[in-house]
Amino acid sequence: MYRRHSAAAALTLVCALAVLASPVQAFAAPTPPVPTSPSAPSEAPAEPGKKSLEEVREEIDALYLKAGAATDAYNLAEEKAKKQSGELVELAQAIVEGQAKIADLKSRAGAEAREQYRNAGLPPGARLMLSGDPQLFLDGVSRARQGQQATKGLLGELTRTQNDLETYTKDASTNWTKLEASRVKQAKAKKKINAQIAAAKKLESQLEKEERARLLEMEQEAAYQAQTAWLSSGSLKEINREASASGKKAVAFATAQIGKPYQWGAEGPKSYDCSGLTSQAWAAAGRPIPRTSQEQWRLLPHIAIKDMRPGDLIIYHGDATHVGMYVGDGAIVHAPRPGRNVTLAGAGSMQILGVVRPDA
C-alpha cells in the first residue's frame, strides 16, 4: 500500500484523484468483476467453424496491440519529420546568408581589382619605388603589406564561405531525403493503424449486444486476474515512496485528463494516445520527455519496480508500445486504446516491461 508521508502529499494526491468515483485503494486490493448476468452468453464451446468469444477477444486485443505499435512508429516518424523540417529551415536561412556574404565578398574583391586597373596594373610596391620619394616609399610599405594581407584574408574568407555553402546545400539535400523517408513511414504507419483498428471494430460489430457486453466483462476479468497475480507477488509491499514535486505536478495533470477519449497520435488537449498523455503530463511539470513510449523506455533512466514512486512511467509489453503513469496504491492512469477513455487501471493489469523516471 502506498504510504503518504505528509499531509501535503496526501492532499495533493487526493485532489489529483478527486475525479474518481471510487478510491484508488481499490487497485491495491482489487474488487472482483461483476458476475456475468443470466442473459449473457455462457462459455460453452463455440459452434463448429465459429470462433469462441475468448478467441474473438484475443484477436481484438492482438489487433489493438499491433495498432499501438504502429502508432508508436507513426509518432516517432512525426517527431523526426518535425525535427528535419526545422533543420531544413535553419539550413535554408544559412544558405541565403551564405549567398549574400559571397555576393558582398565578390563585390569587395571586384573593387580591389578595379583599383589595380586604374593604377595601370602596377602593384603598390612598384608604384612606391618609382615615385623617387624614399620617405613615401618607407611609409607606404606598411600600407602595402596591410593591403596584401587584407586581399589574402578576403580571398580566404570567400573560399571558406563557398565551402560552407556547399556543406549547407549537401546537408539540406540529405535532410530533405530523410524528411521524405519519415513522411513515407508516417503514411505506412497511418495506413496500418487504420487497418488494424478497422479490423478490430469489424470483429466487435459482428457480435450480438449481449456478446459485446460479455466481451467487456472478459476484458475486465483478464485485467483483474493480471493485477491480482501482480499483487500476490508482493511487489506492492515495497512500493511506498512519495512523489517528487515534479512528479506530483505530472500526476495532477494526467489524472485531470481522466474521461477524455483515446485518439492515436493525439497530444491533447481534447484527446490523447498513451505516450501523448505521459509526455504532455511531464511537459506540464516542466520536464519535457521523448514523445513515444519506445523512446521513453530507451532514453529515460530505468528504475526498479520496488523503487517506483508516483509520476514514474511504467512501460508495457515486450516491444515497449504502451505506457502508463504510476499514481500510487498500485494504480496507473493511462490512455488504453481506441474506443476507450483515459482512466485508472491496475499497474499490473498488463505485461510490465519496466519502469522509467523522467526526473531522476
Side-chain angles (χ1 to χ4, degrees), residues 104-309:
D104 177 63
L105 290 169
K106 285 182 176 180
S107 176
R108 287 160 57 189
E112 290 192 9
R114 288 190 295 274
E115 179 65 24
Q116 284 191 9
Y117 178 78
R118 281 194 295 269
N119 289 297
L122 290 174
R127 293 199 308 272
L128 290 170
M129 291 181 70
L130 293 173
S131 70
D133 187 337
Q135 186 59 47
L136 180 62
F137 172 77
L138 292 174
D139 291 342
V141 167
S142 177
R143 291 196 299 272
R145 287 177 177 172
Q146 290 175 356
Q148 289 171 349
Q149 290 175 350
T151 300
K152 184 178 180 181
L154 183 65
L155 294 175
E157 188 175 1
L158 179 60
T159 300
R160 287 193 298 272
T161 303
Q162 288 174 328
N163 290 338
D164 288 344
L165 193 58
E166 287 181 13
T167 300
Y168 295 150
T169 303
K170 288 179 181 178
D171 288 347
S173 177
T174 299
N175 273 38
W176 180 260
T177 301
K178 289 180 179 178
L179 178 60
E180 288 303 300
S182 292
R183 286 173 175 166
V184 169
K185 287 181 180 178
Q186 275 182 278
K188 288 182 178 179
K190 183 176 182 179
K191 184 177 180 180
K192 186 173 182 179
I193 293 165
N194 289 331
Q196 304 290 0
I197 292 175
K201 287 182 176 179
K202 183 178 179 180
L203 277 174
E204 285 193 76
S205 69
Q206 293 171 344
L207 299 174
E208 299 294 335
K209 181 179 179 180
E210 293 80 6
E211 289 178 316
R212 288 197 295 272
R214 176 58 186 146
L215 196 66
L216 179 59
E217 290 176 2
M218 292 170 68
E219 181 181 311
Q220 294 170 340
E221 287 171 2
Y224 164 76
Q225 290 172 5
Q227 175 74 350
T228 300
W230 183 67
L231 294 174
S232 298
S233 69
S235 298
L236 196 60
K237 293 179 181 178
E238 298 184 54
I239 303 174
N240 55 16
R241 287 165 177 76
E242 183 180 349
S244 64
S246 297
K248 289 176 182 177
K249 292 178 182 178
V251 169
F253 179 94
T255 53
Q257 312 312 309
I258 289 174
K260 293 183 179 181
Y262 177 102
Q263 174 63 47
W264 67 264
E267 299 176 80
K270 295 182 179 180
S271 58
Y272 297 87
D273 63 19
C274 65
S275 57
L277 176 65
T278 54
S279 61
Q280 288 303 302
W282 272 102
R287 294 292 187 98
I289 63 173
R291 168 65 176 86
T292 70
S293 58
Q294 291 178 333
E295 290 295 280
Q296 290 169 5
W297 174 245
R298 187 173 72 88
L299 298 174
L300 296 178
H302 290 203
I303 300 296
I305 291 178
K306 65 182 180 64
D307 296 326
M308 190 163 56
R309 68 189 186 195

Side-chain angles (χ1 to χ4, degrees), residues 74-91:
Y74 175 90
N75 290 335
L76 184 58
E78 183 179 43
E79 285 297 291
K80 287 183 177 179
K82 287 180 182 177
K83 181 181 178 182
Q84 286 149 4
S85 294
E87 290 175 350
L88 274 172
V89 170
E90 293 177 1
L91 286 168

